[in-house]
């Protein structure tokens, strides 16, 4: 696909490659692309901000080589601005930084954009007060609400973050998007949609399934829409 998820107002399913089989990553990406996911979510972890290490710019660049999909890099790292040039060079389309790691979220959003990133998102952990992102809201394109404590795929969805989604939704402009990440499955995606979420990050509920197209179709149906691509 060549369009960006910002052009759509229907719910978007974004596959996180964190649960893919890394020994055959290219095939895995093609499988979910063809299976109907809307774009890809790249979970970058530094072993410092979160207690896990995943991958960095090289894997993002490899992903870029096998798909035209929008690449949403979720930086779970302590110094997002320092590493932004490497991720831009790798070909990601959007970068999301955590409000917990920066002193000045407005300056961080501006810096990431000035370094050539087309779309900038801000994200917050389940324990982080929603008010912490408000000063930066007008400077970002999207907001990512974490519905698990970040670090690992396959964790249980935390419904207590849904009021946060509702509060953020009310403050977003029509051209901004709200994303949720962690524990999203067919049995909870509907409640997140009702709380105003546009984009749903899904790792295990897609990649742990044998038939990825069926898994994506089930998620799409459960959030109250059919395939926007027909
Ligand atoms: C968690 C990551 C998520 C994770 C989602 O730290 O940011 O993107 O991969 O995995 P699931 O969908 O399995 O909860
Ligand atoms: Zn993520």
């Amino acid at each position: 696909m060549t369009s960006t998820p910002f052009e759509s107002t229907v719910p978007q399913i974004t596959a996180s490659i964190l649960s893919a089989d890394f020994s055959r990553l290219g095939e895995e990406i093609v499988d979910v692309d063809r299976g109907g996911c809307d774009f890809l979510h790249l979970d970058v972890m530094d072993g410092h901000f979160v207690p896990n290490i995943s991958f960095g710019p090289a894997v993002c660049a490899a992903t870029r080589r096998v798909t035209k999909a929008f690449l949403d890099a979720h930086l779970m790292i302590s110094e997002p601005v320092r590493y932004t040039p490497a991720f831009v060079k790798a070909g990601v389309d959007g970068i999301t930084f955590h409000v917990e790691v920066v002193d000045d979220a407005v300056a961080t959003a501006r810096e990431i954009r000035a370094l050539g990133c087309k779309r900038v998102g801000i994200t917050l952990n389940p324990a982080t007060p929603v008010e912490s992102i408000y000063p930066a809201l007008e400077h970002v394109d999207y907001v990512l609400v974490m519905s698990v404590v970040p670090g690992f795929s396959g964790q249980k969805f935390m419904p207590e973050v849904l009021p946060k989604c509702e509060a953020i939704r009310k403050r977003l402009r029509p051209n901004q998007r709200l994303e949720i990440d962690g524990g999203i499955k067919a049995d909870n995606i509907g409640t997140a949609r009702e709380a105003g979420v546009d984009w749903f990050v899904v790792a295990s509920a897609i990649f742990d399934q044998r038939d990825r197209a069926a898994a994506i179709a089930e998620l799409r149906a459960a959030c109250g829409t059919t395939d926007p691509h027909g």
Side-chain angles (χ1 to χ4, degrees):
M1 81 166 232
T2 49
S3 64
T4 84
F6 288 93
E7 287 156 28
S8 180
T9 53
V10 301
Q12 305 278 293
I13 308 292
T14 173
S16 161
I17 66 167
L18 192 59
S19 286
D21 176 351
F22 286 175
S23 72
R24 26 186 303 279
L25 183 58
E27 293 163 50
E28 291 278 78
I29 291 166
V30 170
D31 194 26
V32 295
D33 249 358
R34 288 196 185 141
C37 80
D38 296 297
F39 62 100
L40 293 171
H41 181 88
L42 305 175
D43 282 310
V44 176
M45 304 181 184
D46 65 355
H48 183 244
F49 173 60
V50 289
N52 192 12
I53 299 174
S54 57
F55 53 78
V59 168
C60 296
T63 301
R64 180 76 292 162
R65 290 197 291 275
V66 296
T67 181
K68 292 190 168 67
F70 185 92
L71 299 182
D72 171 27
H74 175 194
L75 300 190
M76 288 163 274
I77 67 177
S78 297
E79 297 183 80
V81 173
R82 178 176 175 186
Y83 292 99
T84 288
F87 288 101
V88 170
K89 193 171 174 213
V92 306
D93 301 293
I95 285 180
T96 302
F97 68 94
H98 271 265
V99 68
E100 298 87 0
V101 303
V102 299
D103 292 328
D104 183 342
V106 173
T108 301
R110 284 194 178 132
E111 283 163 11
I112 290 173
R113 214 185 288 283
L115 287 165
C117 187
K118 286 180 266 196
R119 299 291 193 168
V120 180
I122 190 166
T123 181
L124 72 171
N125 284 344
T128 303
V130 68
E131 294 79 13
S132 66
I133 66 159
Y134 288 168
L137 264 192
E138 63 180 288
H139 300 274
V140 298
D141 300 295
Y142 57 116
V143 177
L144 170 58
V145 171
M146 291 308 303
S147 44
V148 298
V149 177
F152 301 90
S153 58
Q155 301 185 74
K156 198 173 172 317
F157 178 69
M158 298 170 69
E160 57 269 39
V161 305
L162 291 173
K164 232 184 234 185
C165 296
E166 289 167 2
I168 296 166
R169 173 85 265 164
K170 288 192 194 119
R171 291 171 175 258
L172 293 184
R173 298 186 306 264
N175 61 347
Q176 293 176 305
R177 296 290 179 268
L178 180 59
E179 185 176 37
I180 196 165
D181 184 3
I184 294 293
K185 315 262 177 235
D187 65 7
N188 56 34
I189 195 168
T191 59
R193 178 64 182 157
E194 281 164 21
V197 174
D198 302 297
W199 298 350
F200 303 89
V201 178
V202 184
S204 51
I206 293 175
F207 283 102
D208 290 359
Q209 313 303 312
R210 193 187 50 78
D211 184 342
R212 277 69 182 272
I216 293 164
E218 187 186 5
L219 289 159
R220 215 183 272 294
C223 64
T225 182
T226 50
D227 184 350
H229 307 303

